[in-house]
Amino acid sequence: MHNPYETPRSDVQQNEALPVRPVRGILIGLLMDLGGSILAVTAITFAYAIYIGTQGASASEIEGALTSTDPTSALGAMHTLAGLGMSYLAGFYCLRISRGTNLRYPLVLAAIVLVLTIGAGVAWNLMDLLTLLGLSALTVGATLLGGAMALRGRS
């Protein structure tokens, strides 16, 4: 007779024969990084607009705060941290989903994001080139750090 309160039996050993899925890992990482960053920045901007509106800021002051792309402002710092967090998670899950054994797939993901962000930043003239390159380098580092943490968790 089966006891319903008994701990279920399971195979807790890692199956090393699972196939490597680099394209899936990179695409999901790309969606997480870009899509997650857009959603996080939108939510932060919305919350910030409400906050400064409740502090008595006029509509023109709110508009000025939201249209500023200065990464050293409070809003810019929050956007940068949100983007770096999403890049970290993207690198982590890219490696986990792709079942990679080194940082090759997070590096490919970081290179794709680097090209897209620098291209968009230059095309839309969002900020000066040196700042854009510095933030892009931080993004690459966050993506690789996420991948490294995924590798570390496997051992």
Side-chain angles (χ1 to χ4, degrees):
M1 180 167 186
H2 175 67
N3 181 358
Y5 302 107
E6 181 179 336
T7 304
R9 299 187 191 280
S10 64
D11 180 16
V12 294
Q13 298 296 323
Q14 290 285 340
N15 185 356
E16 297 300 327
L18 294 174
V20 177
R21 305 177 301 193
V23 174
R24 181 182 293 176
I26 291 169
L27 287 178
I28 290 174
L30 188 63
L31 287 174
M32 285 182 72
D33 196 343
L34 299 179
S37 294
I38 290 169
L39 289 175
V41 164
T42 301
I44 289 169
T45 302
F46 187 70
Y48 188 73
I50 291 172
Y51 172 73
I52 62 175
T54 60
Q55 299 300 312
S58 68
S60 61
E61 290 172 336
I62 294 173
E63 182 181 354
L66 298 183
T67 56
S68 170
T69 58
D70 180 20
T72 60
S73 67
L75 184 61
M78 289 187 283
H79 287 170
T80 300
L81 289 175
L84 290 175
M86 288 299 144
S87 294
Y88 174 87
L89 289 174
F92 183 88
Y93 285 108
C94 171
L95 191 113
R96 296 293 292 198
I97 291 168
S98 66
R99 298 184 181 129
T101 57
N102 56 30
L103 292 177
R104 180 183 323 146
Y105 305 133
L107 185 61
V108 170
L109 170 64
I112 293 169
V113 171
L114 179 72
V115 168
L116 290 175
T117 54
I118 289 179
V122 169
W124 295 330
N125 198 21
L126 295 176
M127 60 188 68
D128 65 291
L129 187 59
L130 188 59
T131 304
L132 181 63
L133 291 175
L135 291 175
S136 297
L138 286 174
T139 298
V140 169
T143 304
L144 293 178
L145 181 63
M149 289 297 112
L151 276 177
R152 185 176 179 193
R154 286 193 177 164
S155 53

